[in-house]
Structures are given as C-alpha cells and as structure tokens.
C-alpha cells in the first residue's frame, strides 16, 4: 500500500481509465479552447521565447510566442505539408513540466486526410514492421488495408519506421532499419525547425493505432542514443486523455486532451518524463462520427489547393531548369524537405474511398511519434 501510494502516476492513470463511474474531466487541460478560460497573471521569459502565464482550471500554462513571421519559402513549404503558416500556430506549454510544447491542430483544412491515409495504407507495408508480422505472413508489399479488411485493421496496433524498435530488447540496431518515409521526415523536421530545434533528424517512428478502450501505460522513452533531441508526437482522429509527469512516478502527472491534428513536443526535462494514454474518448456524436476536420467536405478544399500547388510547382520547376539557379533551389528545398510523395499522391482516389476510411476512423485514434536515435 505504501509503495502504491508513492506511484502517483498510476493513481491518475487508473482515475482517467475508469469507466464505472466515468472519470471527471474537469481538471483536464484542453488547449483547443484556451481563449475561453484564460486569465493573465504574470509575464516572463524562458530561453529565447516570451511567455505569459495563464490560469486554466487549476493549472498554469504558458503561451509561447508563435514562430516569427515566415518567409515566402517557409509559407510554401508549410502549404505543401498541409500546415498553416508558422506565425499562425498557437504554441502552448506547462510550467510544471518544462520542455513540453503543444501545438493545437496547425493543419490546413483537409490536410490531415493525406497523413491519415499514409498511416493506414502505406506505412504498414513492407519493409516496415508491424505487430501482425508475428502472427501472419504477408505477400508482396505486405499491404493490409482494403475496404473489406476491417477485422484485420482492428488488430493492427503498431508499425515501426526507419530504425525498427526491438520490443524485446528495447533497443535500436543499425542492422534492423528501413528507409524512413521522406514525407514524414519533412513534416517533423519542418515543425521542429519552426519551434527552434534546427538540428533534428527523423530516424525512427512508431505509429500507434488505438481502438476505443485501448490504453498506453505510463513509460519513458529512453532507448535512443541521443536523449537531447526532442520527441515529436502527431495525433489524428479520435481524441484522447494524455498524461505527462516527471522523471519518477511519484510526481503527479498533468492531464490534457489531445485532439485530431494536435502536436506534442517533449524536450529538455520533459524528454524523459513519464507519460501515457489512459483513455481514448468515444466520439461525441455517436459511434459513427469522426472529427469535423476529417470530413469529406474539408478534403475537397485540400484537393483544390493541391491542384493549384501542383500547377505552381510545375511552372517553378520548368523555370528553375532553364535558369542557372536550378542547382541552388534544389539544395535549399530538396535537400532537407522532400515533397514528391505529397505531390504525386492520388487525391482523387482518396476522395472516392474516403467513406471506407471514415468507418475505420470512427473507432480509432492514430498517433505518430518520431524521434532521432543517434547523435
């Protein structure tokens, strides 16, 4: 009893996991509605960023300055990746957990659909590794998704990308890796660069697929050789309660809602903090509902935008090939960021089949957590 009383993380985890009676969510921070609850109490600085302390329910949060006004090139990159210009992001944190940054859904309307499709259709394919590999043999490219494979997809719980995490030894090995997806590397590097982490390299990722009722117990991510690089987590579809505490379980964690499109970055003291997911929230509109940001209406908006971007990029590529600046532009844009997967993606097919994706997403939360393994 004495030992359990010291495990304050476990106590909070059990509280929010409970179904009967359902948990009281009044103390859970919802960064998506900060403007409805905040009261300014003081100002200060952290690193090079200004912040204002606000009381939100019983906690204090930090509102960091948005990334500075971006250049035209940065706005173009953001648009290609499906993101708002960085100076329009709201960047939040928790004073009790230094190093945490939360960016509530900075994605453009309809842009999440691409990343959801990549997680469902493409990332589980060979040579990437998934939990189902221990129970079945996959032929060809190992594709799992089809409109008739709902039962199979419900059994999918994780996929590893890049350096494949060994769940038995809890280690990474250079002998067990595949090429990291260029689009996901571009997305994570772009986000972290805008937030001040300029040296980050995406080398490994775990894509988690949570069905309603699933949990992720409290843990720390400490298997990477470089523990100074941040972790970045991107969530899609159903909302969840996320707990983050300190370096030991005797520190009471803070609870926050994570909604579709939300980004969480863990760095500095938070890099080795205990964290977990005690509850995936049932859709507020019933079992068949998905977040509005994943509607087919918003997808149509994104398709129109992508079509315009493709025309612009085609003209730009032609102009660059005819100018002496072609090599320079390739270095600036293509060296760190690769948009080919995004530009070549079949958005018309995605729109045609989106209703089948909706059926899966109605009971699923997808989370991508990306990390740098080596120095």
């Amino acid at each position: 009893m004495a030992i359990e009383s010291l495990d304050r993380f476990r106590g909070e985890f059990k509280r929010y996991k409970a179904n009967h009676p359902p948990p009281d969510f009044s103390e859970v921070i919802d960064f998506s509605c900060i403007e409805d609850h905040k009261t300014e109490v003081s100002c200060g600085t952290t690193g090079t960023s200004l912040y204002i302390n606000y009381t939100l329910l019983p906690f204090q949060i930090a509102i960091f300055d948005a990334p500075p006004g971006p250049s035209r090139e940065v706005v173009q990159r953001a648009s290609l990746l499906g993101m708002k210009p960085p100076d329009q992001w709201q960047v939040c944190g928790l004073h009790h957990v230094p190093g945490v940054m939360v960016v509530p859904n900075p994605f453009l309307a309809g842009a999440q659909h691409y990343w959801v499709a990549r997680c469902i259709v493409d990332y589980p394919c060979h040579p990437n590794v998934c939990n189902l590999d221990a129970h079945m043999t996959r032929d060809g490219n190992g594709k799992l998704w089809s409109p008739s494979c709902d039962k199979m997809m419900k059994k999918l719980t994780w996929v590893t990308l890049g350096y494949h995490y060994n769940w038995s030894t809890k280690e990474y090995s250079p002998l067990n890796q595949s090429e990291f997806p260029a689009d996901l590397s571009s997305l994570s590097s772009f986000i972290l660069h805008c937030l001040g982490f300029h040296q980050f390299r995406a080398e490994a990722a775990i894509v988690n697929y949570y069905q309603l009722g699933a949990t992720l117990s409290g843990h720390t991510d400490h298997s990477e050789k470089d523990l100074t690089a941040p972790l970045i987590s991107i969530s899609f579809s159903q909302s969840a309660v996320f707990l983050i505490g300190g370096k030991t379980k005797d520190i009471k964690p803070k609870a926050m809602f994570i909604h579709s499109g939300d980004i969480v970055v863990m760095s500095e003291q938070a890099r080795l903090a205990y964290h977990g997911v005690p509850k995936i929230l049932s859709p507020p509109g019933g079992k068949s509902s998905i977040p509005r940001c994943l509607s087919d209406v918003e997808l149509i908006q994104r398709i129109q935008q992508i079509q315009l971007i493709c025309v612009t990029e085609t003209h730009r590529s032609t102009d660059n090939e005819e100018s002496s600046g072609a090599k320079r532009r390739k270095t600036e844009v293509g060296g760190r960021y690769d948009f080919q997967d995004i530009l070549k993606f079949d958005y018309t097919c995605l729109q045609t089949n989106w209703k089948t994706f909706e059926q899966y997403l109605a009971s699923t939360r997808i989370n991508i957590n990306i990390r740098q393994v080596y120095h």
Side-chain angles (χ1 to χ4, degrees), residues 244-266:
I244 183 163
K247 291 186 177 181
T248 60
K249 288 187 174 181
D250 62 332
I251 298 174
K252 182 178 178 180
K254 308 302 179 187
M256 64 183 79
F257 288 123
I258 301 296
H259 302 298
S260 190
D262 288 356
I263 295 169
V264 178
V265 175
M266 297 167 57

Side-chain angles (χ1 to χ4, degrees), residues 56-307:
L56 180 64
L57 303 174
F59 306 122
Q60 284 188 323
I61 65 169
I63 308 295
F64 297 94
D65 276 355
S71 65
R72 180 180 177 184
E73 190 79 17
V74 170
V75 172
Q76 291 169 347
R77 290 172 183 168
S79 181
L80 280 163
L81 292 167
M83 308 198 75
K84 300 173 185 175
D87 60 342
Q88 295 181 20
W89 301 357
Q90 185 173 50
V91 186
C92 312
L94 291 172
H95 285 296
H96 294 85
V97 192
V100 172
M101 286 183 169
V102 181
V103 186
N105 186 15
F107 289 90
L108 294 168
Q112 293 185 39
H113 300 62
Y114 168 85
W115 298 105
V116 166
R118 291 284 281 162
C119 289
I120 294 175
V121 179
D122 300 321
Y123 293 160
C125 293
H126 289 151
N128 301 325
V129 180
C130 75
N131 65 293
L132 297 179
D133 290 331
H135 309 287
M136 61 180 290
T137 300
R138 295 193 284 161
D139 298 325
N141 68 358
K143 184 178 179 180
L144 295 173
W145 170 261
S146 75
S148 61
C149 67
D150 188 57
K151 291 184 178 179
M152 176 90 60
M153 289 299 298
K154 292 293 177 68
K155 296 178 180 179
L156 178 67
T157 56
W158 57 261
V159 169
T160 56
L161 312 173
Y163 288 100
H164 298 293
Y165 185 67
N166 187 314
W167 299 91
S168 299
T169 64
K170 300 188 183 304
E171 294 178 340
Y172 296 95
S173 169
L175 302 178
N176 186 21
Q177 63 170 307
S178 56
E179 184 177 359
F180 195 91
D183 56 352
L184 189 57
S185 173
S186 297
L187 177 68
S188 55
S189 296
F190 177 79
I191 294 169
L192 288 172
H193 183 85
C194 291
L195 295 178
F197 302 96
H198 303 298
Q199 305 303 318
F200 178 82
R201 297 191 313 275
E203 296 178 328
I206 301 174
V207 186
N208 291 305
Y209 305 80
Y210 300 88
Q211 296 301 305
L212 297 179
T215 63
L216 177 65
S217 58
H219 67 285
T220 62
D221 292 290
H222 55 267
S223 298
E224 295 74 29
K225 301 299 181 183
D226 185 354
L227 296 176
T228 62
L231 299 177
I232 177 170
S233 167
I234 309 170
S235 295
F236 299 109
S237 196
Q238 303 303 337
S239 300
V241 175
F242 177 73
L243 298 180
I244 183 163
K247 291 186 177 181
T248 60
K249 288 187 174 181
D250 62 332
I251 298 174
K252 182 178 178 180
K254 308 302 179 187
M256 64 183 79
F257 288 123
I258 301 296
H259 302 298
S260 190
D262 288 356
I263 295 169
V264 178
V265 175
M266 297 167 57
S267 66
E268 302 172 3
Q269 294 183 42
R271 176 62 179 77
L272 291 174
Y274 274 91
H275 57 282
V277 179
K279 186 173 286 293
I280 309 300
L281 302 175
S282 298
K287 291 185 177 180
S288 61
S289 69
I290 60 170
R292 183 177 179 181
C293 58
L294 290 176
S295 71
D296 52 0
V297 175
E298 294 212 352
L299 176 56
I300 293 172
Q301 296 180 44
R302 178 59 177 169
I303 291 174
Q304 293 172 344
Q305 182 186 44
I306 282 290
Q307 290 172 341

Side-chain angles (χ1 to χ4, degrees), residues 337-365:
Y337 303 108
D338 188 333
F339 306 115
Q340 292 307 306
D341 289 331
I342 298 171
L343 292 172
K344 293 179 180 179
F345 190 76
D346 190 343
Y347 290 90
T348 302
C349 181
L350 178 62
Q351 181 183 5
T352 302
N353 295 284
W354 186 248
K355 289 299 181 183
T356 59
F357 286 90
E358 285 186 357
Q359 294 172 13
Y360 174 71
L361 295 171
S363 61
T364 307
R365 173 187 181 241

Side-chain angles (χ1 to χ4, degrees), residues 37-44 51-56 60:
H37 300 284
K38 67 186 184 184
T39 304
E40 183 175 338
V41 292
S42 64
C43 296
Y51 65 78
I52 300 176
N53 295 337
Y54 293 100
T55 56
L56 180 64
Q60 284 188 323

